[in-house]
Amino acid sequence: MDFDKLILGIDIGTSSVKISLLDSSTSKSIYAKSVPTKAKTSSSHQKGDEQDVFNILKAMQECLKSPGKIMEKVKAIGICGQMHGIVFWDEQFVQTFWDNEFTNETKKLVSNLYTWQDARTDLKFLTKLPKPRSHLKAYSGYGCNTIFWLKENQPEILSNFKHCGTIQDLIVSILCNQGKPVMSTHNAASWGYFDVIECSWNTDILIQANFPVHLLPLVVQPGKIFGTLYETIYHIPKGAVVGVALGDLQCSVIATLTSMTDAVINISTSAQVAFVTKIIEKQCDGVEYFPYYDNHFLAVAASLNGGNVLDCFVRSVLSWVSALGLTITEDELWNRLLHLPDEEHSTPLIVNPLIFGERHDPTTFGSLINVTNNNFTLSELFSGFCKGLINNLLKMMPREMLLKAGIQRIIGSGSVITRNHIIKKEIENCFNLPLSLQMPEDSAFGVALALLKNNPHLFS
Ligand SMILES: Nc1ncnc2c1ncn2[C@@H]1O[C@H](COP(=O)(O)OP(=O)(O)O)[C@@H](O)[C@H]1O
Ligand SMILES: O=C(CO)[C@@H](O)[C@H](O)[C@H](O)[C@H](O)COP(=O)(O)O
């Protein structure tokens, strides 16, 4: 088929980088690819969660290499990714990508990515911080709180680097070869201390608390263009337009939502239930209102327990297998777990899977209930974890809240839903609404679609 104008969407997820090529004349995805980043790296803090930026860039390069000559048709590039996290860099670092020089020397020009799972800012630390002037609270793993912690404990990180942003902001800067980032409200709101209504950082509050406000990027509305591609790479022509980076959460919704009566459940490393609304309701524990588009918000129950919990379970089983002197590959174990026969027990095993706590309740962790002499099996344990994840989402965003908002259907997206039949069935059971499924590269497709919708003139 001959395509005229393509839009490339890139999603920098917590576990993998995904790309999608969207045909601007049909708004359909014509190519998709996902590459695991394997970026988790050791942290100097016991509760830290850090990723190696080079591994993320390498996974992105592998994705970009794969479509080949068709990339010559790319007119615009949209980038989204994991929210809340923060990475620091120097002007020169951006250039190293273009010089193809990822050496130990260039490692000094960029920090690790401190992810949304970083829990070093514990409750004790958070209580010392000023209260943000925003309808959004600032939790552990949020960029501004991580800066507060670094200022007190590792000030050299703040003095060694000139710029900071989310990982997707860094990638936008790299592609345009401009060291200084510009952020969308999606990502700024995910850092905390940002007033979405005023579109401004809480600079006065932050200055009073001796926060290095000079590090905070300029913020613009989502849909704005940041710049253009600096040089031709992977057949993508120099000059292709690059949009300001967006949040993966918002992009997963843009990709899938067809009506205001739909809610979206996305499960990848994390898990969320969200719907679009114009009104910020009185907040209840676990539901936040993140900026979406055009004065609309996303009411979101964002759980810290998603695919990462199943990953943790798989790793535990792998370590038991190895302790017994046996072997099984990780892929084979996933495959077996996803195809174990269903079991019926008069007393089913109940798994409360809160391995990572929740933002609104960070000190309550997981538990097993109703263990009997016949239900403590691999099948019951795995399906218990899967079901527990959905029951936890339901607790955070009750069905009544969805019905009150006029929601009539749930759209399921993210690789963990599309690959896991237990999770699909439990969503239908728990939420008791029709479920429609979308492809796993949803956010990469969504960020490309957002560029098309916000800048139709570029593709006419
Ligand atoms: N081989 C596998 N088979 C099925 N599921 C897997 C496999 N490997 C990882 N997963 C699940 O996929 C999740 C990551 O999904 P992914 O879409 O790559 O995440 P993200 O968008 O956060 O980068 C993991 O947390 C894990 O639950
Ligand atoms: O944490 C929130 C929102 O508060 C999430 O919805 C948001 O999507 C974050 O970016 C995720 O935590 C990371 O996404 P993913 O890698 O699990 O796809």
mmCIF file of all heavy atoms in Angstrom, residues 146-183:
data_model
loop_
_atom_site.group_PDB
_atom_site.id
_atom_site.type_symbol
_atom_site.label_atom_id
_atom_site.label_comp_id
_atom_site.label_asym_id
_atom_site.label_seq_id
_atom_site.Cartn_x
_atom_site.Cartn_y
_atom_site.Cartn_z
ATOM 1 N N THR A 146 10.931 14.301 44.476
ATOM 2 C CA THR A 146 12.263 13.684 44.322
ATOM 3 C C THR A 146 13.330 14.788 44.385
ATOM 4 O O THR A 146 14.388 14.602 45.003
ATOM 5 C CB THR A 146 12.338 12.893 42.997
ATOM 6 O OG1 THR A 146 11.268 11.948 42.991
ATOM 7 C CG2 THR A 146 13.656 12.168 42.837
ATOM 8 N N ILE A 147 13.038 15.962 43.770
ATOM 9 C CA ILE A 147 14.011 17.072 43.849
ATOM 10 C C ILE A 147 14.198 17.499 45.309
ATOM 11 O O ILE A 147 15.323 17.698 45.769
ATOM 12 C CB ILE A 147 13.558 18.277 42.984
ATOM 13 C CG1 ILE A 147 13.606 17.910 41.497
ATOM 14 C CG2 ILE A 147 14.442 19.501 43.264
ATOM 15 C CD1 ILE A 147 13.259 19.040 40.538
ATOM 16 N N PHE A 148 13.086 17.603 46.059
ATOM 17 C CA PHE A 148 13.205 17.976 47.476
ATOM 18 C C PHE A 148 14.139 17.003 48.206
ATOM 19 O O PHE A 148 14.979 17.398 48.997
ATOM 20 C CB PHE A 148 11.824 17.934 48.156
ATOM 21 C CG PHE A 148 11.083 19.257 48.136
ATOM 22 C CD1 PHE A 148 9.810 19.345 47.572
ATOM 23 C CD2 PHE A 148 11.640 20.393 48.699
ATOM 24 C CE1 PHE A 148 9.115 20.556 47.562
ATOM 25 C CE2 PHE A 148 10.949 21.599 48.699
ATOM 26 C CZ PHE A 148 9.691 21.680 48.132
ATOM 27 N N TRP A 149 13.976 15.704 47.901
ATOM 28 C CA TRP A 149 14.794 14.691 48.591
ATOM 29 C C TRP A 149 16.264 14.829 48.185
ATOM 30 O O TRP A 149 17.169 14.793 49.018
ATOM 31 C CB TRP A 149 14.278 13.283 48.262
ATOM 32 C CG TRP A 149 14.936 12.220 49.100
ATOM 33 C CD1 TRP A 149 14.489 11.728 50.290
ATOM 34 C CD2 TRP A 149 16.169 11.549 48.816
ATOM 35 N NE1 TRP A 149 15.368 10.781 50.767
ATOM 36 C CE2 TRP A 149 16.408 10.651 49.891
ATOM 37 C CE3 TRP A 149 17.095 11.620 47.778
ATOM 38 C CZ2 TRP A 149 17.543 9.833 49.940
ATOM 39 C CZ3 TRP A 149 18.227 10.805 47.837
ATOM 40 C CH2 TRP A 149 18.430 9.926 48.899
ATOM 41 N N LEU A 150 16.498 15.013 46.887
ATOM 42 C CA LEU A 150 17.886 15.121 46.407
ATOM 43 C C LEU A 150 18.564 16.353 46.991
ATOM 44 O O LEU A 150 19.741 16.324 47.335
ATOM 45 C CB LEU A 150 17.909 15.171 44.865
ATOM 46 C CG LEU A 150 17.520 13.860 44.155
ATOM 47 C CD1 LEU A 150 17.367 14.087 42.653
ATOM 48 C CD2 LEU A 150 18.552 12.752 44.406
ATOM 49 N N LYS A 151 17.809 17.423 47.108
ATOM 50 C CA LYS A 151 18.387 18.669 47.655
ATOM 51 C C LYS A 151 18.924 18.411 49.067
ATOM 52 O O LYS A 151 19.991 18.879 49.424
ATOM 53 C CB LYS A 151 17.312 19.763 47.683
ATOM 54 C CG LYS A 151 17.853 21.138 48.048
ATOM 55 C CD LYS A 151 16.818 22.207 47.872
ATOM 56 C CE LYS A 151 15.750 22.203 48.931
ATOM 57 N NZ LYS A 151 16.161 22.624 50.265
ATOM 58 N N GLU A 152 18.188 17.624 49.825
ATOM 59 C CA GLU A 152 18.603 17.362 51.202
ATOM 60 C C GLU A 152 19.679 16.275 51.292
ATOM 61 O O GLU A 152 20.545 16.330 52.134
ATOM 62 C CB GLU A 152 17.365 16.917 51.993
ATOM 63 C CG GLU A 152 17.546 17.062 53.492
ATOM 64 C CD GLU A 152 16.235 16.834 54.234
ATOM 65 O OE1 GLU A 152 15.272 17.559 53.950
ATOM 66 O OE2 GLU A 152 16.205 15.918 55.074
ATOM 67 N N ASN A 153 19.618 15.293 50.393
ATOM 68 C CA ASN A 153 20.469 14.111 50.560
ATOM 69 C C ASN A 153 21.560 13.909 49.513
ATOM 70 O O ASN A 153 22.558 13.257 49.798
ATOM 71 C CB ASN A 153 19.591 12.854 50.591
ATOM 72 C CG ASN A 153 18.629 12.880 51.753
ATOM 73 O OD1 ASN A 153 19.030 12.645 52.873
ATOM 74 N ND2 ASN A 153 17.377 13.207 51.482
ATOM 75 N N GLN A 154 21.346 14.394 48.298
ATOM 76 C CA GLN A 154 22.373 14.237 47.255
ATOM 77 C C GLN A 154 22.421 15.507 46.412
ATOM 78 O O GLN A 154 22.135 15.476 45.212
ATOM 79 C CB GLN A 154 22.008 13.057 46.344
ATOM 80 C CG GLN A 154 22.585 11.724 46.775
ATOM 81 C CD GLN A 154 22.107 10.619 45.845
ATOM 82 O OE1 GLN A 154 20.970 10.176 45.980
ATOM 83 N NE2 GLN A 154 22.926 10.217 44.901
ATOM 84 N N PRO A 155 22.774 16.632 47.058
ATOM 85 C CA PRO A 155 22.679 17.920 46.360
ATOM 86 C C PRO A 155 23.534 17.990 45.096
ATOM 87 O O PRO A 155 23.258 18.778 44.192
ATOM 88 C CB PRO A 155 23.141 18.949 47.408
ATOM 89 C CG PRO A 155 23.800 18.153 48.470
ATOM 90 C CD PRO A 155 23.256 16.777 48.439
ATOM 91 N N GLU A 156 24.574 17.127 45.016
ATOM 92 C CA GLU A 156 25.452 17.169 43.830
ATOM 93 C C GLU A 156 24.676 16.840 42.552
ATOM 94 O O GLU A 156 25.005 17.332 41.478
ATOM 95 C CB GLU A 156 26.680 16.269 44.008
ATOM 96 C CG GLU A 156 26.447 14.775 44.066
ATOM 97 C CD GLU A 156 25.910 14.270 45.417
ATOM 98 O OE1 GLU A 156 25.674 15.089 46.323
ATOM 99 O OE2 GLU A 156 25.706 13.044 45.540
ATOM 100 N N ILE A 157 23.612 16.023 42.660
ATOM 101 C CA ILE A 157 22.824 15.694 41.457
ATOM 102 C C ILE A 157 22.219 16.992 40.908
ATOM 103 O O ILE A 157 22.203 17.224 39.703
ATOM 104 C CB ILE A 157 21.678 14.700 41.785
ATOM 105 C CG1 ILE A 157 22.235 13.383 42.310
ATOM 106 C CG2 ILE A 157 20.746 14.459 40.590
ATOM 107 C CD1 ILE A 157 22.693 12.404 41.254
ATOM 108 N N LEU A 158 21.749 17.835 41.820
ATOM 109 C CA LEU A 158 21.100 19.071 41.367
ATOM 110 C C LEU A 158 22.120 20.068 40.828
ATOM 111 O O LEU A 158 21.839 20.821 39.901
ATOM 112 C CB LEU A 158 20.290 19.696 42.502
ATOM 113 C CG LEU A 158 19.221 18.793 43.123
ATOM 114 C CD1 LEU A 158 18.421 19.543 44.179
ATOM 115 C CD2 LEU A 158 18.262 18.266 42.060
ATOM 116 N N SER A 159 23.325 20.076 41.414
ATOM 117 C CA SER A 159 24.303 21.052 40.926
ATOM 118 C C SER A 159 25.058 20.548 39.696
ATOM 119 O O SER A 159 25.585 21.331 38.923
ATOM 120 C CB SER A 159 25.274 21.461 42.047
ATOM 121 O OG SER A 159 25.785 20.308 42.640
ATOM 122 N N ASN A 160 25.080 19.227 39.485
ATOM 123 C CA ASN A 160 25.831 18.675 38.346
ATOM 124 C C ASN A 160 25.128 18.856 37.011
ATOM 125 O O ASN A 160 25.750 18.748 35.965
ATOM 126 C CB ASN A 160 26.067 17.169 38.533
ATOM 127 C CG ASN A 160 27.178 16.901 39.518
ATOM 128 O OD1 ASN A 160 27.819 17.841 39.960
ATOM 129 N ND2 ASN A 160 27.398 15.654 39.869
ATOM 130 N N PHE A 161 23.797 19.012 37.048
ATOM 131 C CA PHE A 161 23.046 19.056 35.782
ATOM 132 C C PHE A 161 22.263 20.360 35.665
ATOM 133 O O PHE A 161 21.843 20.929 36.666
ATOM 134 C CB PHE A 161 22.077 17.872 35.703
ATOM 135 C CG PHE A 161 22.764 16.539 35.790
ATOM 136 C CD1 PHE A 161 22.738 15.801 36.966
ATOM 137 C CD2 PHE A 161 23.459 16.032 34.699
ATOM 138 C CE1 PHE A 161 23.382 14.569 37.052
ATOM 139 C CE2 PHE A 161 24.097 14.804 34.779
ATOM 140 C CZ PHE A 161 24.059 14.074 35.949
ATOM 141 N N LYS A 162 22.069 20.750 34.393
ATOM 142 C CA LYS A 162 21.418 22.030 34.148
ATOM 143 C C LYS A 162 19.911 21.882 33.908
ATOM 144 O O LYS A 162 19.136 22.790 34.170
ATOM 145 C CB LYS A 162 22.060 22.651 32.903
ATOM 146 C CG LYS A 162 22.303 24.124 33.064
ATOM 147 C CD LYS A 162 23.148 24.653 31.958
ATOM 148 C CE LYS A 162 22.593 25.986 31.510
ATOM 149 N NZ LYS A 162 23.041 26.360 30.198
ATOM 150 N N HIS A 163 19.504 20.736 33.353
ATOM 151 C CA HIS A 163 18.098 20.576 32.963
ATOM 152 C C HIS A 163 17.487 19.330 33.576
ATOM 153 O O HIS A 163 18.205 18.384 33.935
ATOM 154 C CB HIS A 163 17.979 20.451 31.438
ATOM 155 C CG HIS A 163 18.562 21.602 30.708
ATOM 156 N ND1 HIS A 163 18.106 22.889 30.863
ATOM 157 C CD2 HIS A 163 19.586 21.668 29.819
ATOM 158 C CE1 HIS A 163 18.808 23.689 30.097
ATOM 159 N NE2 HIS A 163 19.728 22.978 29.457
ATOM 160 N N CYS A 164 16.172 19.315 33.633
ATOM 161 C CA CYS A 164 15.492 18.085 34.038
ATOM 162 C C CYS A 164 14.116 18.023 33.377
ATOM 163 O O CYS A 164 13.592 19.033 32.900
ATOM 164 C CB CYS A 164 15.374 17.982 35.560
ATOM 165 S SG CYS A 164 14.420 19.286 36.315
ATOM 166 N N GLY A 165 13.570 16.816 33.350
ATOM 167 C CA GLY A 165 12.248 16.605 32.750
ATOM 168 C C GLY A 165 11.848 15.167 32.974
ATOM 169 O O GLY A 165 12.575 14.397 33.635
ATOM 170 N N THR A 166 10.727 14.766 32.427
ATOM 171 C CA THR A 166 10.388 13.343 32.441
ATOM 172 C C THR A 166 11.246 12.698 31.345
ATOM 173 O O THR A 166 11.837 13.408 30.519
ATOM 174 C CB THR A 166 8.899 13.109 32.116
ATOM 175 O OG1 THR A 166 8.659 13.593 30.789
ATOM 176 C CG2 THR A 166 7.985 13.819 33.104
ATOM 177 N N ILE A 167 11.289 11.377 31.289
ATOM 178 C CA ILE A 167 12.097 10.710 30.262
ATOM 179 C C ILE A 167 11.591 11.073 28.864
ATOM 180 O O ILE A 167 12.373 11.265 27.930
ATOM 181 C CB ILE A 167 12.147 9.170 30.501
ATOM 182 C CG1 ILE A 167 13.031 8.475 29.476
ATOM 183 C CG2 ILE A 167 10.788 8.532 30.534
ATOM 184 C CD1 ILE A 167 14.485 8.744 29.598
ATOM 185 N N GLN A 168 10.271 11.244 28.730
ATOM 186 C CA GLN A 168 9.745 11.585 27.401
ATOM 187 C C GLN A 168 10.107 13.025 27.007
ATOM 188 O O GLN A 168 10.307 13.311 25.832
ATOM 189 C CB GLN A 168 8.231 11.314 27.298
ATOM 190 C CG GLN A 168 7.344 11.919 28.363
ATOM 191 C CD GLN A 168 7.189 11.027 29.584
ATOM 192 O OE1 GLN A 168 8.065 10.227 29.878
ATOM 193 N NE2 GLN A 168 6.099 11.166 30.321
ATOM 194 N N ASP A 169 10.245 13.923 28.010
ATOM 195 C CA ASP A 169 10.703 15.286 27.704
ATOM 196 C C ASP A 169 12.150 15.253 27.212
ATOM 197 O O ASP A 169 12.523 15.971 26.286
ATOM 198 C CB ASP A 169 10.625 16.181 28.956
ATOM 199 C CG ASP A 169 9.196 16.380 29.433
ATOM 200 O OD1 ASP A 169 8.322 16.600 28.567
ATOM 201 O OD2 ASP A 169 8.948 16.300 30.636
ATOM 202 N N LEU A 170 12.974 14.408 27.871
ATOM 203 C CA LEU A 170 14.373 14.296 27.445
ATOM 204 C C LEU A 170 14.437 13.804 25.998
ATOM 205 O O LEU A 170 15.221 14.310 25.193
ATOM 206 C CB LEU A 170 15.135 13.330 28.378
ATOM 207 C CG LEU A 170 16.532 12.928 27.920
ATOM 208 C CD1 LEU A 170 17.437 14.155 27.739
ATOM 209 C CD2 LEU A 170 17.191 11.961 28.905
ATOM 210 N N ILE A 171 13.595 12.855 25.650
ATOM 211 C CA ILE A 171 13.667 12.294 24.291
ATOM 212 C C ILE A 171 13.236 13.324 23.254
ATOM 213 O O ILE A 171 13.846 13.439 22.180
ATOM 214 C CB ILE A 171 12.895 10.965 24.234
ATOM 215 C CG1 ILE A 171 13.777 9.974 24.998
ATOM 216 C CG2 ILE A 171 12.633 10.509 22.794
ATOM 217 C CD1 ILE A 171 13.341 8.619 25.155
ATOM 218 N N VAL A 172 12.245 14.131 23.584
ATOM 219 C CA VAL A 172 11.853 15.222 22.674
ATOM 220 C C VAL A 172 13.046 16.165 22.478
ATOM 221 O O VAL A 172 13.379 16.557 21.357
ATOM 222 C CB VAL A 172 10.622 15.978 23.244
ATOM 223 C CG1 VAL A 172 10.413 17.298 22.535
ATOM 224 C CG2 VAL A 172 9.370 15.116 23.117
ATOM 225 N N SER A 173 13.703 16.530 23.577
ATOM 226 C CA SER A 173 14.876 17.418 23.492
ATOM 227 C C SER A 173 15.964 16.802 22.619
ATOM 228 O O SER A 173 16.583 17.485 21.799
ATOM 229 C CB SER A 173 15.457 17.667 24.883
ATOM 230 O OG SER A 173 14.709 18.630 25.540
ATOM 231 N N ILE A 174 16.195 15.507 22.796
ATOM 232 C CA ILE A 174 17.234 14.826 22.020
ATOM 233 C C ILE A 174 16.895 14.885 20.530
ATOM 234 O O ILE A 174 17.734 15.262 19.705
ATOM 235 C CB ILE A 174 17.368 13.353 22.482
ATOM 236 C CG1 ILE A 174 18.048 13.286 23.848
ATOM 237 C CG2 ILE A 174 18.146 12.529 21.462
ATOM 238 C CD1 ILE A 174 18.151 11.882 24.428
ATOM 239 N N LEU A 175 15.656 14.506 20.182
ATOM 240 C CA LEU A 175 15.307 14.428 18.753
ATOM 241 C C LEU A 175 15.426 15.799 18.082
ATOM 242 O O LEU A 175 15.750 15.895 16.901
ATOM 243 C CB LEU A 175 13.893 13.855 18.574
ATOM 244 C CG LEU A 175 13.730 12.391 18.993
ATOM 245 C CD1 LEU A 175 12.319 11.906 18.733
ATOM 246 C CD2 LEU A 175 14.724 11.476 18.279
ATOM 247 N N CYS A 176 15.161 16.857 18.844
ATOM 248 C CA CYS A 176 15.253 18.206 18.253
ATOM 249 C C CYS A 176 16.631 18.821 18.498
ATOM 250 O O CYS A 176 16.879 19.962 18.088
ATOM 251 C CB CYS A 176 14.176 19.103 18.850
ATOM 252 S SG CYS A 176 12.520 18.506 18.509
ATOM 253 N N ASN A 177 17.496 18.096 19.206
ATOM 254 C CA ASN A 177 18.830 18.598 19.565
ATOM 255 C C ASN A 177 18.764 19.968 20.237
ATOM 256 O O ASN A 177 19.496 20.889 19.887
ATOM 257 C CB ASN A 177 19.739 18.641 18.328
ATOM 258 C CG ASN A 177 21.209 18.724 18.734
ATOM 259 O OD1 ASN A 177 21.551 18.484 19.885
ATOM 260 N ND2 ASN A 177 22.071 19.072 17.787
ATOM 261 N N GLN A 178 17.835 20.071 21.186
ATOM 262 C CA GLN A 178 17.733 21.299 22.002
ATOM 263 C C GLN A 178 17.784 20.877 23.459
ATOM 264 O O GLN A 178 16.870 20.201 23.932
ATOM 265 C CB GLN A 178 16.389 21.971 21.774
ATOM 266 C CG GLN A 178 16.254 22.663 20.435
ATOM 267 C CD GLN A 178 14.910 23.385 20.357
ATOM 268 O OE1 GLN A 178 14.447 23.965 21.328
ATOM 269 N NE2 GLN A 178 14.287 23.331 19.195
ATOM 270 N N GLY A 179 18.850 21.274 24.143
ATOM 271 C CA GLY A 179 19.048 20.805 25.525
ATOM 272 C C GLY A 179 17.920 21.180 26.471
ATOM 273 O O GLY A 179 17.560 20.418 27.368
ATOM 274 N N LYS A 180 17.345 22.380 26.262
ATOM 275 C CA LYS A 180 16.378 22.908 27.232
ATOM 276 C C LYS A 180 14.986 22.328 26.979
ATOM 277 O O LYS A 180 14.457 22.480 25.877
ATOM 278 C CB LYS A 180 16.347 24.434 27.077
ATOM 279 C CG LYS A 180 15.792 25.139 28.253
ATOM 280 C CD LYS A 180 15.984 26.620 28.101
ATOM 281 C CE LYS A 180 15.153 27.270 29.197
ATOM 282 N NZ LYS A 180 15.136 28.669 29.120
ATOM 283 N N PRO A 181 14.391 21.698 27.993
ATOM 284 C CA PRO A 181 13.085 21.062 27.755
ATOM 285 C C PRO A 181 11.918 22.037 27.855
ATOM 286 O O PRO A 181 12.030 23.096 28.468
ATOM 287 C CB PRO A 181 12.996 20.050 28.889
ATOM 288 C CG PRO A 181 13.763 20.680 30.004
ATOM 289 C CD PRO A 181 14.856 21.500 29.377
ATOM 290 N N VAL A 182 10.813 21.657 27.242
ATOM 291 C CA VAL A 182 9.521 22.314 27.466
ATOM 292 C C VAL A 182 8.556 21.179 27.775
ATOM 293 O O VAL A 182 8.586 20.150 27.111
ATOM 294 C CB VAL A 182 9.054 23.097 26.211
ATOM 295 C CG1 VAL A 182 7.653 23.643 26.415
ATOM 296 C CG2 VAL A 182 10.027 24.217 25.875
ATOM 297 N N MET A 183 7.723 21.397 28.794
ATOM 298 C CA MET A 183 6.849 20.300 29.267
ATOM 299 C C MET A 183 5.392 20.581 28.958
ATOM 300 O O MET A 183 4.983 21.741 28.951
ATOM 301 C CB MET A 183 6.949 20.300 30.796
ATOM 302 C CG MET A 183 7.476 19.095 31.410
ATOM 303 S SD MET A 183 7.449 19.349 33.194
ATOM 304 C CE MET A 183 8.053 17.774 33.675
#
